[in-house]
Amino acid sequence: MHLAARRPGPRSGQHSGLQPPQQAGRSRTAAPSSRTSFATSKQQKAALLSWACPQTEKADGCFLPFFIPQKLAAECQSAGYPGTLIPYKCDLSNEEEILSMFSAIKTLHQGVDVCINNAGLARPEPLLSGKTEGWRTMIDVNVMAVSICTREAYQSMKERNIDDGHIININSMNGHSVVPQSVVHFYSATKYAVTALTEGLRQELREAKTHIRATCISPGLVETGFAFKLHDNDPERAAATYESIRCLKAEDMANAVIYVLSAPPHVQIGDIQMRPTEQIS
């Protein structure tokens, strides 16, 4: 698992990829008396986005699990996109590595203003016959890593008096309904946990009398490498998953994130549930 910090640069017109380009060029201090949404703030922001890099990705014949974010960062730079994408390799199942990452972000970028817990995975481990190792992996990445990153992001915001931060958990429709497919039942349980964690986080943020917001985005079928990880022993089945209907795209998810970050400061978006139009379950 890997995480990357997306950070708008200091020059006017730079863009992290998470906010509208016309709003870039920001300072870092946020005062409660002048709260604005992330997308309309005139203050520089640092956003942390987690994602999983498949171990099967290759470059020049070599296994390079960190190749995707590095390639993406280079493409963003060469395309002239404003803002800076900074890849950071981190094993999300290892708390020490997560804490080390947050320490590095504090040293290099002062801290985190927006945390997007996007990394997640499923293993084909049914409840009646699944392997404990697979269950534990899903718990570690889908639940524990989300919780640790959330805690550390909040503490980062709190110590810098950031009152307009945002924590976004990329959930799943499997966190709202259990589909009759045994290979995803345990995965569904971890996503139900994310649903509960996000609402619990919202309540705790209100108790702390902060205006930091918490949001879930719960997609249905998105065309990513997810199915290839779930069905890693059956690539044809994985490919067929994305061929049966017109799936959501990564751009659809990015647009949902931008929508959430663009909400006025008095608006708390709790959960966005989105499916492909043709999806049944």
Side-chain angles (χ1 to χ4, degrees):
M1 299 303 139
H2 309 83
L3 286 90
R6 289 178 177 238
R7 183 175 184 270
R11 299 188 301 277
S12 176
Q14 290 195 325
H15 176 38
S16 70
L18 295 180
Q19 76 245 23
Q22 66 270 23
Q23 302 296 340
R26 316 175 175 209
S27 63
R28 291 198 59 91
T29 317
S33 60
S34 59
R35 293 189 304 273
T36 57
S37 70
F38 178 84
T40 58
S41 169
K42 294 183 179 179
Q43 300 157 343
Q44 180 178 308
K45 300 287 187 178
L48 178 68
L49 168 68
S50 70
W51 75 80
C53 292
Q55 299 295 320
T56 54
E57 193 70 21
K58 294 183 179 181
D60 299 329
C62 299
F63 285 99
L64 291 176
F66 199 44
F67 175 67
I68 293 177
Q70 289 177 329
K71 182 174 181 289
L72 179 59
E75 289 176 351
C76 289
Q77 183 177 13
S78 63
Y81 291 141
T84 306
L85 172 61
I86 307 170
Y88 193 100
K89 184 177 180 180
C90 176
D91 181 355
L92 286 176
S93 64
N94 186 321
E95 182 177 7
E96 290 185 2
E97 289 200 21
I98 296 176
L99 298 181
S100 177
M101 177 193 63
F102 272 91
S103 178
I105 292 173
K106 180 178 180 179
T107 300
L108 298 173
H109 312 296
Q110 299 183 36
V112 173
D113 302 296
V114 172
C115 179
I116 304 172
N117 291 307
N118 172 68
L121 56 81
R123 301 299 299 139
E125 309 293 354
L127 300 178
L128 299 182
S129 59
K131 297 177 182 177
T132 304
E133 180 182 2
W135 294 343
R136 185 173 289 114
T137 297
M138 286 184 274
I139 288 289
D140 286 345
V141 175
N142 299 355
V143 180
M144 292 303 298
V146 168
S147 301
I148 296 169
C149 288
T150 295
R151 179 192 66 201
E152 296 304 309
Y154 169 72
Q155 293 299 329
S156 174
M157 297 175 200
K158 180 181 178 182
E159 69 181 20
R160 293 174 296 122
N161 296 317
I162 299 298
D163 193 56
D164 62 346
H166 213 130
I167 298 170
I168 300 174
N169 292 330
I170 305 302
N171 197 357
S172 169
M173 288 305 299
N174 288 94
H176 300 277
S177 63
V178 180
V179 299
Q181 298 178 27
S182 62
V183 292
V184 295
H185 284 163
F186 194 93
Y187 167 76
S188 184
T190 67
K191 289 303 183 177
Y192 265 86
V194 173
T195 300
L197 287 170
T198 308
E199 173 57 17
L201 173 62
R202 186 194 68 81
Q203 294 180 17
E204 291 191 25
L205 290 171
R206 297 294 75 76
E207 291 173 2
K209 300 188 183 306
T210 175
H211 293 85
I212 297 169
R213 292 178 287 183
T215 299
C216 258
I217 299 178
S218 303
L221 194 58
V222 185
E223 188 173 354
T224 64
F226 180 87
F228 290 93
K229 180 65 175 177
L230 174 62
H231 304 298
D232 52 5
N233 293 322
D234 191 350
E236 291 185 1
R237 180 179 180 184
T241 301
Y242 302 123
E243 295 170 355
S244 58
I245 61 174
R246 183 177 180 181
C247 302
L248 298 177
K249 303 291 186 180
E251 291 81 1
D252 299 316
M253 296 301 299
N255 287 333
V257 170
I258 292 172
Y259 174 78
V260 167
L261 292 174
S262 300
H266 69 284
V267 175
Q268 167 75 64
I269 299 175
D271 196 344
I272 294 179
Q273 297 184 22
M274 51 194 292
R275 294 181 176 92
T277 302
E278 298 173 349
Q279 183 173 343
I280 297 176
S281 60

